[in-house]
Amino acid sequence: DAKTTQPTSMDCAEGRAANLPCNHSTISGNEYVYWYRQIHSQGPQYIIHGLKNNETNEMASLIITEDRKSSTLILPHATLRDTAVYYCIVRVPPHLISSGSARQLTFGSGTQLTVLP
Amino acid sequence: KAGVTQTPRYLIKTRGQQVTLSCSPISGHRSVSWYQQTPGQGLQFLFEYFSETQRNKGNFPGRFSGRQFSNSRSEMNVSTLELGDSALYLCASSLGKGGLNTEAFFGQGTRLTVV
């Protein structure tokens, strides 16, 4: 799986948009960008994923650059409950991996997002 | 529907003992993966089970083992516990095969403390 680079920490004011960047310059053609977050002492939570088009769901938006070497996760109206570590992961999605190959998630250090009141 | 259930939530063991942790995946999910999370090493993959078979294994010593039952429930076992095994152990379930909705859903974890 391609390596990702994320800032160690970021702050965001409550109610404002939180924009979390991720660099993945070595991403290969069949690798998707996934985002998970982990609120303190809980299990990681899936947020969103995408290949090359921008994606949006009820939690967040994912903007992937045209060359796919970087992406940004956007939380449009951050709340205090969005304070968490956010992980950007690039990998081949499970449904494209043949049986017997690695399917695990490889987590980096992530970005600690702190939403301030 | 119910999420991933891990038991127990907290556990304290003594060095040299062994421990068994349990994970019940989301109904219909056939793949169960285990991860270890420590402050120093972050989240690290232990192993994955699908249809009662270990499909993939991370870089952990043989003291760490697991199994999966016919109802997809999984257990992991750590023998001869060491202080460094103190960690949050997380279980993730997914459909495991085919389809687009194959994302992993994590449980709350078991916090193991070895003293």
Side-chain angles (χ1 to χ4, degrees), chain A residues 2-3 24-29 31-33 51 67-69 90:
Chain A
K3 182 180 170 64
H24 32 79
S25 58
T26 60
I27 191 170
S28 61
E31 287 182 316
Y32 285 55
V33 180
L51 179 63
D67 62 8
R68 302 208 323 122
K69 293 185 177 183
V90 292

Side-chain angles (χ1 to χ4, degrees), chain A residues 105, chain B residues 4 6 23 25 31-35 90-94 104-107:
Chain A
L105 293 163
Chain B
V4 180
Q6 291 189 245
C23 172
S31 169
V32 173
S33 298
W34 289 89
Y35 292 79
L90 291 157
C91 165
S93 85
S94 64
F105 295 87
F106 285 81

Side-chain angles (χ1 to χ4, degrees), chain A residues 1-2 4 6 20-22 24 27 30-37 45-51 55 62 64 68 71-73 86-97 103-108, chain B residues 99-104:
Chain A
D1 293 343
T4 62
Q6 299 178 252
L20 292 97
C22 179
H24 32 79
I27 191 170
N30 62 350
E31 287 182 316
Y32 285 55
V33 180
Y34 287 77
W35 284 83
Y36 280 77
R37 74 179 182 183
Q45 176 189 25
Y46 165 78
I47 301 173
I48 198 168
H49 74 279
L51 179 63
E55 302 288 343
L62 174 60
I64 302 173
R68 302 208 323 122
S71 60
T72 301
L73 177 75
Y86 287 77
Y87 296 98
C88 169
I89 299 167
V90 292
R91 65 162 183 160
V92 179
H95 69 279
L96 296 179
I97 298 175
R103 295 172 180 259
Q104 72 266 28
L105 293 163
T106 302
F107 290 86
Chain B
L100 291 176
N101 294 322
T102 53
E103 283 324 299

Side-chain angles (χ1 to χ4, degrees), chain B residues 12-96:
Chain B
I12 300 175
K13 288 286 189 179
T14 306
R15 273 183 302 175
Q17 286 187 312
Q18 71 154 14
V19 67
T20 299
L21 312 181
S22 178
C23 172
S24 293
I26 292 171
S27 177
H29 284 193
R30 297 168 63 192
S31 169
V32 173
S33 298
W34 289 89
Y35 292 79
Q36 181 197 64
Q37 186 172 30
T38 60
Q41 299 296 319
L43 270 157
Q44 293 187 291
F45 172 76
L46 280 157
F47 27 65
E48 180 201 8
Y49 286 86
F50 178 81
S51 291
E52 303 178 65
T53 302
Q54 187 180 89
R55 194 159 62 172
N56 192 21
K57 189 177 192 304
N59 189 26
F60 279 81
R63 301 185 297 106
F64 292 80
S65 63
R67 59 177 175 168
Q68 186 180 35
F69 303 95
S70 58
N71 62 358
S72 294
R73 190 177 70 84
S74 177
E75 289 180 347
M76 69 161 281
N77 184 278
V78 187
S79 62
T80 320
L81 283 166
E82 301 176 358
L83 295 179
D85 297 332
S86 295
L88 179 66
Y89 289 88
L90 291 157
C91 165
S93 85
S94 64
L95 285 170

Side-chain angles (χ1 to χ4, degrees), chain A residues 39-58:
Chain A
I39 296 170
H40 183 62
S41 294
Q42 296 184 22
Q45 176 189 25
Y46 165 78
I47 301 173
I48 198 168
H49 74 279
L51 179 63
K52 56 183 177 181
N53 298 317
N54 298 338
E55 302 288 343
T56 296
N57 63 20
E58 65 278 4

